[in-house]
Amino acid sequence: MSSPAATVLAGLRVNEARYFKNKYGHVFTVEPVSNAGPTIDWVSRILTEERGIVISARPLEATAFQVENIRMAYVFYENGLSINVMYTVDDLGKRAVGFKLSDGMEIPAELASFKFARQKSKLAGTIRGSYFIIKNEC
């Protein structure tokens, strides 16, 4: 990964990997952007259609998988941003987009309208996160 935020992004990935391994027994792996076009396109389409958000940073890595009845997608960006989509495949399930800012990262202009809460992680330092609920079918 080529990014000034590579170290803090690694912490975010490890933090997510630990969560999915402990909760679902899933091994969290990412692939380079060159192999992740459909995942990046899906996440970008949801951001644009739901909130008119276009992320200005370049995506570096992504992953998509399903655990139980939840379709998950993650995109990691060169500026230290991580975006995830949690999309329960059941009709009445939870569906949301989450944003995580790496330790020390400023809030990107396109996300300035969101309020970010802080959480401490032994693996990723201080993470700031926010989210919105997906209202439409994706």
Side-chain angles (χ1 to χ4, degrees):
M1 169 179 357
S2 174
S3 166
T7 302
V8 290
L9 277 172
L12 275 180
R13 285 192 317 275
V14 170
N15 187 63
E16 299 301 327
R18 182 178 63 184
Y19 171 78
F20 282 102
K21 183 67 174 168
N22 289 342
K23 182 152 182 144
Y24 300 103
H26 173 77
V27 177
F28 186 94
T29 58
V30 295
E31 56 188 355
V33 69
S34 59
N35 299 335
T39 300
I40 294 166
D41 292 346
W42 187 58
V43 171
S44 296
R45 183 174 52 81
I46 291 170
L47 291 171
T48 302
E49 290 177 1
E50 290 284 325
R51 294 292 181 102
I53 297 170
V54 176
I55 301 299
S56 60
R58 183 173 58 98
L60 296 175
E61 298 175 322
T63 187
F65 55 92
Q66 186 165 326
V67 289
E68 297 177 358
N69 66 336
I70 305 167
R71 182 177 173 194
M72 297 293 307
Y74 279 80
V75 180
F76 295 91
Y77 295 85
E78 67 182 347
N79 63 351
L81 173 66
S82 169
I83 298 178
N84 74 286
V85 172
M86 178 190 77
Y87 194 86
T88 304
V89 295
D90 300 335
D91 286 340
L92 299 175
K94 294 180 183 179
R95 297 174 176 168
V97 173
F99 305 106
K100 289 188 180 174
L101 307 178
S102 296
D103 197 2
M105 179 184 172
E106 294 297 320
I107 298 172
E110 59 268 38
L111 302 179
S113 65
F114 290 89
K115 294 197 183 313
F116 285 83
R118 294 182 188 277
Q119 87 182 59
K120 289 280 193 182
S121 164
K122 290 180 183 178
L123 300 171
T126 300
I127 302 169
R128 289 175 295 152
S130 192
Y131 73 97
F132 68 83
I133 301 298
I134 297 172
K135 296 186 173 147
N136 300 304
E137 292 291 320
C138 299

